[in-house]
Amino acid sequence: MAADTAAADRAFRQRPMAAPSDSVISEADLYGPRWKMVHAYGKANNLDVIEVDPPHARIGLAAAGTTFDALRQALLDLGVTDAKLRTAGIRLLRIGMPYPVGPDRVREFATGLDELIVVEDKTAFVETQIREILYGTDNPPRILGKKDADGRPLVPVDGELTAGRLRGPLRRVLRGHVELGPAPLPQLPLEVLSTTRTPYFC
């Protein structure tokens, strides 16, 4: 029994080393040439769009997909039109490709900003990418998102981000920077009328 164990141990030690997996080569290709191709595609097709771009902007709001639409609606609910955004120096970025986020457009968007607020569903996925892109650049803005400047929760991490859920966070970050209208009146629930039906299909 001991001899068998020793023989198995010698065979294990003398086995040829396995060749490196092709996954290493694929990984290098993905994060090298292919990554550059993805960034080039996003830039060539203008997937990320700065929709409101006042030259003296100090605050930026960035969001992707349907969350950007909810952000727009929340701003309108607060009485903040595009004209008010331009006057207040607030820039808007619609992100068309949330992964990987295009670095060139993000750097352009962040130029001159004091604060950049990332609005996104769930975890800080886009926010983390933007932090990495702007890390080490000259005079980067303060980046807010899931937390505000004091470390308190800002953009909800649970559920869908509707315009109604974004009005509160936007009030907090935009108060003092732009004229905000009164909060819209809460919608009354629809009254369900009672009906009486005579059973007949039985």
Side-chain angles (χ1 to χ4, degrees), residues 119-201:
V119 181
E120 61 181 322
D121 287 310
K122 308 303 181 183
T123 59
F125 181 63
V126 173
E127 180 182 344
T128 300
Q129 294 181 75
I130 290 179
R131 287 182 186 277
E132 291 180 354
I133 291 170
L134 297 179
Y135 179 78
T137 59
D138 293 335
N139 301 316
R142 178 169 53 184
I143 300 173
L144 312 178
K146 294 306 172 184
K147 295 183 179 180
D148 64 12
D150 297 321
R152 298 174 301 175
L154 180 62
V155 178
V157 296
D158 62 311
E160 181 185 3
L161 291 183
T162 62
R165 299 188 74 197
L166 289 178
R167 289 196 291 264
L170 288 176
R171 276 189 176 278
R172 285 170 56 186
V173 296
L174 298 182
R175 186 181 294 115
H177 298 286
V178 64
E179 181 185 354
L180 300 173
L185 295 175
Q187 294 183 348
L188 298 176
L190 295 177
E191 181 182 357
V192 180
L193 300 178
S194 61
T195 59
T196 302
R197 294 184 60 186
T198 303
Y200 65 93
F201 188 68

